[in-house]
Each structure stands twice: as C-alpha cells, then as structure tokens.
Amino acid sequence: MEIEFKNVSYVYNYKTPLRKTALKNINTIISENKINALVGKCGSGKTTLIELILALIKPTRGKIYVGPYLVEKNIKIKRINDLRFDVGLIFQFPEEQIFNSTVREEISFGMKYFGYKVDTMEKRCADALKMVGLDSKYLDMNPFKLSRGEMRKVSIASVLAFNPKVIIFDEPTVGLDSISKKNFIKLIQMLKNKYGKTILLVTHDTELVYKCSDYTYILNDGEIVLEGNSKEVLTNSNLNEYGLERPKIVETIDYINKVKGLRMGYRVDVNDLIKDIYRNAR
C-alpha cells in the first residue's frame, strides 16, 4: 500500500503564541512493497510524521493518501479505524509492552477487543508467529521467559495478526545485539519479499538502513532534504550536516580509496569489501 504526502505541514499549538512548526511542506511518496527508511536526528520530525500517517494527529495543511484512505483535517472517525487495521506500528522497545502470561493471550489481546471469533483468533495467532519465524509451540509459552529477540518477535506478531498492509517500525534495533539485528533484517526482508508488506523504518541508525532498505528519506528540521536509492543517499558526504553519520563501511571504503588511490565501489557486506581489497592489492 502506497503512502503519498501532498503539501503536508504540521504546526503544534497552531493558534497560540507557542506555535512550533514540526513539518514543512512535505511532498513525497512511500512506495508499496519496499523497505523504506525515514532517517533523521532527534527532533527532526520523524515522530510527527508517524502520527500523521496513523491519523493520531491531523495535518495543519495538505493531504496524506494512505492507500485508499485520506488523512486531512476533516477525516471521518470510521475511516480512521479502518486505516489503523491496514497500518501497523511497532513501537520502540515493543517487548516492554508485553503484559499477558502466554504468547497466545498476548497476540490475541487486540483481536478480543475487536470481537474476533475464537477460531479466527487461533489461526491468526499461529499465522502471525509463522510470519516472524516462530512455530505454534510458542503459543502456550510464557513470553517473559523468552529471549529479548523472541519477545520482540512476539510483539511484532501481535501487530501482524491484523494482517496490515503497511508496517512501521520505530527505532527497531535499539537495545538489540548484532545477532538480533541480523535476524531483524532477515525478518523485514521476508515480510517484504514473501508477504508483500510495505515497510517503513523510522530511525537514526544509518548502519541498519544501509544494509537493508531500498529507499531512504532524510528528514531535517521538519523538511525532507534528501531522498532516493538508499545506497546513493547514505554515501552522500553531506550527511553530517544533518546530524547523521555515514555507515562505517562507507567511511572505510572512502578512506582506503583516498590513501591507496583506488576506485573501489561501495559494498554492503564486509566480506565483499575484504575480497575487493585483496583483489586490488595483487
């Protein structure tokens, strides 16, 4: 499901002397069936943009088309509920929001609220676990006895149970070790490639974005200042102007090229970089 911003601005405390512009004239499209990344330092407007997509707040000016839904000042309440079934949000540290005593109860909690039938809930729980790489034996387990990575997968499954077309991850790798980060990348790639989900990573982690995203938007002081193919955007030498660091592998390649007078292209995988260095050293 595609998301399109047309001349979108948002101002906090719009009618008071304390007004503050959070987003300025955003015009862009978040493509469907892609891993998209919204990257920016703290205070750049990332959270405001998420809230607008979910219609938690309404734009001061402009329109947002989330698939068939229109988010504007006059959005209807019924359409908001429908929209939130199709757009799932995974919060930062989602495992800390778990409160049920079994995985089944945790995943089915939201479905009970919306009146799903028992048979439907059971199937959706099992299907959602499968989507995150866990089998149905986890349903009767205590989520608090799982590893941190498994708990995060259960939290993601709780959102996937509603089968959203768009999944937004808010700072998804915070608190994860390197192995868990690799597993997360495999997960979102599977959600895109196997299940056709549209993914939006909202983060300041340029390392993560460089390794797995298709398209990147750089947000700075409420404006999209750069966007394009992730590899092109994240090798841009101006990233530090926006309070962001280029991925370490990019910096390393630039340094080697400069010192050795080489023209090695950018790589994502360190092993590929080592092979390039070896070939150029011969």
Side-chain angles (χ1 to χ4, degrees):
M1 194 163 73
E2 184 179 272
I3 302 172
E4 182 176 6
F5 289 79
K6 286 191 172 183
N7 303 312
V8 174
S9 295
Y10 186 80
V11 181
Y12 287 101
N13 302 314
Y14 181 66
K15 296 182 179 180
T16 76
L18 299 175
R19 59 184 288 157
K20 178 184 178 183
T21 301
L23 292 174
K24 309 168 191 174
N25 199 37
I26 303 295
N27 285 282
T28 196
I29 294 175
I30 297 173
S31 299
E32 63 182 349
N33 194 26
K34 298 285 186 184
I35 299 176
N36 303 280
L38 180 68
V39 183
K41 62 184 179 181
C42 293
S44 60
K46 301 192 301 295
T47 299
T48 302
L49 192 140
I50 294 175
E51 292 174 343
L52 285 169
I53 292 174
L54 289 164
L56 296 172
I57 56 177
K58 301 173 185 179
T60 305
R61 183 169 66 87
K63 297 178 180 181
I64 307 165
Y65 294 91
V66 184
Y69 310 105
L70 172 60
V71 180
E72 58 175 352
K73 283 186 177 181
N74 300 317
I75 186 173
K76 296 179 181 178
I77 296 299
K78 182 180 184 304
R79 296 296 281 172
I80 291 177
N81 291 335
D82 291 342
L83 182 156
R84 291 175 188 162
F85 274 106
D86 279 337
V87 181
L89 172 62
I90 314 294
F91 292 97
Q92 185 176 345
F93 298 116
E95 65 275 12
E96 294 183 359
Q97 298 172 43
I98 290 175
F99 59 91
N100 286 288
S101 58
T102 69
V103 169
R104 176 184 284 102
E105 291 172 344
E106 185 64 31
I107 297 175
S108 62
F109 179 81
M111 289 185 284
K112 287 180 181 178
Y113 179 83
F114 286 106
Y116 280 68
K117 294 181 180 179
V118 174
D119 290 346
T120 301
M121 286 192 293
E122 188 70 13
K123 185 177 186 306
R124 289 207 171 203
C125 286
D127 288 347
L129 278 179
K130 184 179 178 181
M131 290 174 76
V132 298
L134 301 177
D135 58 43
S136 56
K137 73 180 182 182
Y138 280 83
L139 287 171
D140 295 314
M141 292 185 178
N142 184 335
F144 298 104
K145 293 185 178 180
L146 301 178
S147 69
R148 191 180 187 97
E150 289 172 330
M151 289 177 72
R152 192 161 291 196
K153 285 184 177 181
V154 169
S155 298
I156 294 171
S158 300
V159 172
L160 294 178
F162 291 99
N163 196 26
K165 296 180 176 67
V166 177
I167 308 170
I168 301 172
F169 291 89
D170 183 16
E171 296 292 358
T173 56
V174 172
L176 295 184
D177 57 29
S178 59
I179 295 175
S180 296
K181 286 182 180 180
K182 288 180 181 178
N183 289 336
F184 173 76
I185 290 173
K186 290 179 182 178
L187 170 61
I188 61 171
Q189 288 173 335
M190 180 182 67
L191 291 174
K192 182 195 83 165
N193 297 327
K194 187 175 181 178
Y195 298 104
K197 302 297 183 183
T198 299
I199 307 294
L200 179 60
L201 305 175
V202 182
T203 183
H204 65 275
D205 186 350
T206 54
E207 302 284 346
L208 167 71
V209 174
Y210 185 71
K211 289 177 181 176
C212 67
S213 71
D214 302 305
Y215 200 90
T216 295
Y217 311 81
I218 303 296
L219 193 63
N220 186 63
D221 292 335
E223 298 180 277
I224 292 179
V225 292
L226 281 175
E227 69 171 278
N229 175 283
S230 293
K231 304 305 176 288
E232 294 177 0
V233 170
L234 294 172
T235 55
N236 191 298
S237 59
N238 295 326
L239 278 187
N240 61 347
E241 294 179 12
Y242 311 121
L244 300 169
E245 294 183 357
R246 294 203 302 169
K248 289 182 176 62
I249 193 169
V250 171
E251 293 285 282
T252 300
I253 292 168
D254 278 355
Y255 176 78
I256 294 172
N257 283 342
K258 182 179 179 180
V259 172
K260 298 294 184 179
L262 302 176
R263 293 185 178 180
M264 291 192 304
Y266 292 110
R267 297 288 189 180
V268 174
D269 188 89
V270 172
N271 291 326
D272 290 336
L273 173 59
I274 292 172
K275 290 176 184 176
D276 276 355
I277 294 172
Y278 176 76
R279 279 194 293 266
N280 281 281
R282 294 174 68 179

